[in-house]
Amino acid sequence: MAPMGIRLSPLGMAVFCLLGLGVLYHLYSGFLAGRFAFFMLSEPAAGGPETPHGSAPGGAVDLRELLAVSVLAAVRGGEEVKRVREGNVLNAKAKGKTREGAEEQLTTGDLLSNRRMFYLLKGAFPAVQINSEEHVDTADQETVSWDHSIPEDIKQKIQPKEVPAESVTVWIDPLDATQEYTEDLRQYVTTMVCVAVNGKPVIGVIHKPFSSYTAWAMVDGGSNIKARSSYNEKTPRIIVSRSHAGKVEQVARQTFGNKTVIIPAGGAGYKVLALLDVPEKNQEEADVYIHVTYIKKWDICAGNAVLRALGGHMTTLTGEEISYTGSDGNEGGLIASINMNHKALIEKLPDLEKTS
């Protein structure tokens, strides 16, 4: 007698397998159809809108393209600054006071430059955070397009480099040295753009509207400006704000000697350029830049990036790196130098932090 058991016929097995395949088909057909539809919608149709230039898949931006747009933005903003000043339609008014009690000026040049620079950058890189000195009024929104061109000098010196869009912060100063602008001291005036990645300044653009000179640099990339070759570390020429000259002079000369030269000047951008090799007749030269009070980050970010790219330093008066995230102000003053022993400079000037 054969052992007792259950025997499945070939026909029954076939039916069972077909039922199983049918269930699997219904489960996955919807998923596959959804994925196919997503793929089709993600691809730009012929003649339809493309992915915004400068924004790569995955929410990335190309720093070379961002540098190109930053240079263009600084120049376009500078055109507005120059046009307003030469037309003598500044409409200057006080917008508040600094912590030291000095009035802060606001002019038509500030506002028009800010609008042009902000919307050019925002149109090219909509996913990037942009911080600007002046308020952007949505009622005055304008369309400022970028033609996607990259200048030849940037193409030759800078390689494409993508970073996550959420790691990028752009800082705009649409008119640096507004007080000097109202006094018609044109040599001090600049427009500036800075790009920070994870709080570190990596791209800096400083443009002088009244001479059409533009300096730019990218950390670990390249630049169109160089550091000067000669510096005097023992008796440096120290460039400071016009209102701070008296505060710095006494401490500096006690530290470095009576031969130390103090250079009062306007504008943070101008002061950074004083440390570099700038082919400008009206550009003063200095060895160290010192600021002893609170200062806004859009004033210093571009200069910080340029110095970093060239091997220089900009820190607080106690030697701390300045982070370009969070609040828009730097509390610890600053000291900037290049091709000098930056740490030794800080150690020589211990009293400046107290002055700040």
Side-chain angles (χ1 to χ4, degrees):
M1 215 176 143
M4 295 182 64
I6 300 173
R7 296 179 62 188
L8 295 175
S9 69
L11 179 60
M13 288 291 293
V15 172
F16 180 82
C17 291
L18 288 173
L19 287 172
L21 289 172
V23 171
L24 290 173
Y25 171 79
H26 284 289
L27 286 173
Y28 286 99
S29 61
F31 171 78
L32 293 172
R35 295 302 297 169
F36 178 75
F38 176 80
F39 172 79
M40 293 300 293
L41 289 171
S42 299
E43 291 293 317
E50 297 181 352
T51 302
H53 208 75
S55 298
V61 297
D62 180 1
L63 290 180
R64 184 171 74 166
E65 293 183 348
L66 190 45
L67 169 59
V69 179
S70 296
V71 170
L72 181 60
V75 172
R76 291 279 181 85
E79 291 170 355
E80 297 295 319
V81 167
K82 183 178 180 181
R83 181 175 63 83
V84 170
R85 178 66 266 185
E86 292 183 342
N88 199 28
V89 286
L90 274 64
N91 297 318
K93 61 181 180 180
K95 67 175 181 180
K97 291 190 175 183
T98 66
R99 292 189 179 185
E100 299 168 278
E103 283 192 347
E104 285 191 289
Q105 296 289 313
L106 178 68
T107 70
T108 301
D110 293 88
L111 297 174
L112 294 180
S113 173
N114 182 70
R115 186 173 69 182
R116 181 62 56 89
M117 294 172 71
F118 178 87
Y119 285 114
L120 176 57
L121 285 157
K122 198 64 179 177
F125 294 91
V128 168
Q129 178 181 339
I130 301 175
N131 296 336
S132 178
E133 179 174 9
E134 306 304 339
H135 175 70
V136 178
D137 191 346
T138 54
D140 291 331
Q141 182 173 348
E142 65 175 279
T143 301
V144 187
S145 60
W146 176 45
D147 63 4
H148 310 314
S149 64
I150 299 177
E152 283 302 317
D153 58 341
I154 293 178
K155 278 185 180 180
Q156 292 172 7
K157 296 179 180 181
I158 307 294
Q159 296 299 313
K161 182 179 180 181
E162 290 184 355
V163 296
E166 62 269 19
S167 69
V168 175
T169 306
V170 176
W171 295 85
I172 298 175
D173 193 341
L175 201 170
D176 189 41
T178 300
Q179 180 62 44
E180 287 73 19
Y181 182 65
T182 63
E183 298 172 19
D184 209 15
L185 299 174
R186 303 183 182 194
Q187 71 271 24
Y188 297 128
V189 176
T190 62
T191 57
M192 296 187 286
V193 181
C194 177
V195 176
V197 178
N198 295 320
K200 295 183 178 181
V202 298
I203 290 174
V205 180
I206 304 175
H207 175 68
K208 300 181 76 173
F210 296 102
S211 64
S212 300
Y213 174 76
T214 306
W216 59 261
M218 177 173 162
V219 176
D220 297 327
S223 68
N224 71 341
I225 189 171
K226 298 183 293 185
R228 286 187 293 107
S229 56
S230 60
Y231 294 86
N232 191 335
E233 193 163 351
K234 292 183 179 179
T235 55
R237 292 165 295 178
I238 300 177
I239 193 164
V240 299
S241 294
R242 295 161 70 203
S243 58
H244 296 168
K247 294 180 180 180
V248 176
E249 182 173 6
Q250 183 178 0
V251 176
R253 290 190 172 174
Q254 287 175 351
T255 304
F256 296 109
N258 290 330
K259 292 183 179 180
T260 302
V261 177
I262 303 298
I263 304 172
Y270 178 89
K271 297 185 188 82
V272 168
L273 291 178
L275 306 181
L276 306 173
D277 185 12
V278 177
E280 293 267 302
K281 291 182 179 179
N282 62 354
Q283 175 66 60
E284 295 167 283
E285 294 183 352
D287 302 306
V288 181
Y289 165 28
I290 293 176
H291 188 86
V292 295
T293 60
Y294 174 88
I295 191 168
K296 292 296 182 68
K297 291 178 180 177
W298 41 66
D299 290 317
I300 59 176
C301 186
N304 198 342
V306 171
L307 288 173
R308 284 188 70 221
L310 298 176
H313 302 274
M314 179 184 288
T315 66
T316 66
L317 294 172
T318 57
E320 297 177 1
E321 296 294 332
I322 302 168
S323 174
Y324 294 91
T325 57
S327 69
D328 59 17
N330 171 51
E331 297 281 354
L334 70 85
I335 179 168
S337 68
I338 188 167
N339 289 344
M340 298 182 74
N341 188 332
H342 192 77
K343 184 177 180 181
L345 286 172
I346 294 168
E347 292 172 350
K348 284 181 178 180
L349 297 170
D351 292 333
L352 284 179
E353 197 274 332
K354 294 180 181 178
T355 301
S356 174

